[in-house]
């Protein structure tokens, strides 16, 4: 029985996700962590920690895949009702510049080696380092099975918009994002459609 986070809905994996899942099963942890997607930003200026934590919670609520995991058989993406990224904060402001650089470098190497729990999640982790009163190092890491480079760009853009709003004690004004669950179901229906069979037949004929 599943004893992880409460599931809101479950949808079939799309083909690229199924391929990644199979790769992770065959290659175990080495394959799993090879799919880590990470981006780092140096934030300059005063940072509102409460607004940042609120923004992270909002971004996970906004984007379904950031609060998801996979079923044990690897056939479904389970979207959890609530989730929060693995969040780590460390104050490095008391260290010398070289010591801070070494600590960040060591963290980035270590972060690349940490595998995600694909079933229980979270598949999104955040590391925030305080470098000084007006400088912070932020790293966002996800698993490629839920997020690619293009998607990470959307996450960062939305995070910036949401953070700016919360820092002003305002509600973020963003359009409703597309639902990944809806997309996955549309993808499944397409695979069973006459249009797909026509396309499949054409390419099978070409490859003969």
């Amino acid at each position: 029985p599943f004893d992880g986070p409460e599931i809101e809905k479950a949808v079939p994996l799309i083909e690229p996700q199924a391929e990644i899942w199979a790769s992770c099963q065959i290659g175990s942890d080495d394959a799993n962590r090879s799919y880590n997607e990470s981006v780092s930003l140096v934030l300059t200026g005063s940072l509102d920690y409460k607004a940042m934590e609120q923004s992270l919670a909002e971004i996970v609520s906004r984007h379904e895949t950031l609060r998801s995991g996979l079923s044990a058989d690897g056939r479904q993406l389970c979207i959890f009702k609530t989730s929060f990224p693995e969040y780590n904060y460390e104050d490095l402001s008391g260290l010398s510049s070289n010591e801070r650089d070494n600590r960040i470098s060591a963290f980035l190497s270590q972060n690349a080696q940490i595998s995600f729990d694909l079933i229980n999640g979270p598949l999104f982790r955040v590391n925030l380092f305080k470098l000084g009163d007006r400088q912070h190092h932020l790293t966002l890491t996800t698993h490629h099975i839920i997020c690619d480079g293009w998607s990470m760009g959307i996450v960062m853009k939305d995070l910036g918009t949401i953070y700016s709003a919360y820092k002003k004690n305002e509600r973020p004004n963003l359009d409703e994002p597309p639902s990944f669950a809806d997309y996955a179901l549309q993808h499944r229906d397409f695979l069973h459609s006459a249009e797909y069979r026509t396309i499949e037949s054409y390419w099978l004929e070409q490859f003969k």
Side-chain angles (χ1 to χ4, degrees):
F2 181 78
D3 58 359
E6 187 177 358
I7 297 174
E8 178 181 307
K9 50 190 166 184
V11 294
L13 295 189
I14 60 174
E15 287 178 296
Q17 290 176 318
E19 291 170 3
I20 293 173
W21 168 262
S23 175
C24 292
Q25 298 310 296
I26 294 169
S28 194
D29 278 350
D30 284 341
N32 186 332
R33 55 180 165 251
S34 74
Y35 287 106
N36 287 0
E37 295 260 347
S38 182
V39 62
S40 293
L41 304 169
V42 174
L43 309 177
T44 302
S46 62
L47 184 68
D48 186 325
Y49 297 105
K50 181 179 179 182
M52 176 60 74
E53 292 191 23
Q54 287 178 315
S55 301
L56 291 170
E58 180 77 17
I59 205 78
V60 170
S61 176
R62 176 174 171 78
H63 294 290
E64 293 174 331
T65 57
L66 296 181
R67 50 185 168 88
S68 66
L70 279 75
S71 60
D73 61 6
R75 295 184 178 183
Q76 294 181 307
L77 187 75
C78 302
I79 298 167
F80 305 133
K81 284 190 173 181
T82 59
S83 181
F84 191 76
E86 180 185 332
Y87 178 72
N88 298 294
Y89 168 79
E90 189 173 347
D91 186 350
L92 306 180
S93 59
L95 302 179
S96 69
S97 177
N98 284 341
E99 288 173 328
R100 289 197 301 270
D101 290 346
N102 289 338
R103 175 68 186 96
I104 295 295
S105 179
F107 156 74
L108 292 173
S109 295
Q110 180 186 34
N111 186 50
Q113 298 301 315
I114 298 175
S115 302
F116 282 100
D117 181 343
L118 296 182
I119 295 176
N120 296 302
L123 302 182
F124 178 36
R125 59 178 177 254
V126 178
N127 288 80
L128 180 64
F129 295 95
K130 180 179 179 180
L131 307 179
D133 289 339
R134 297 183 58 80
Q135 193 172 62
H136 293 76
H137 183 282
L138 176 69
T139 298
L140 309 177
T141 309
T142 66
H143 195 279
H144 190 55
I145 205 165
I146 64 157
C147 189
D148 58 14
W150 182 272
S151 304
M152 185 68 88
I154 294 172
V155 168
M156 289 192 295
K157 182 179 178 181
D158 285 358
L159 183 62
T161 300
I162 294 167
Y163 172 80
S164 295
Y166 278 132
K167 192 171 182 181
K168 299 174 186 175
N169 293 315
E170 299 174 356
R171 278 295 302 166
N173 183 20
L174 287 169
D175 294 335
E176 190 71 20
S179 165
F180 182 83
D182 289 347
Y183 170 74
L185 293 174
Q186 291 167 6
H187 180 77
R188 179 200 61 187
D189 292 343
F190 173 68
L191 294 179
H192 293 88
S193 69
E195 180 185 4
Y196 177 81
R197 289 193 294 273
T198 299
I199 294 171
E200 182 182 47
S201 296
Y202 170 82
W203 285 109
L204 288 174
E205 184 65 29
Q206 297 304 308
F207 284 123
K208 280 184 179 180

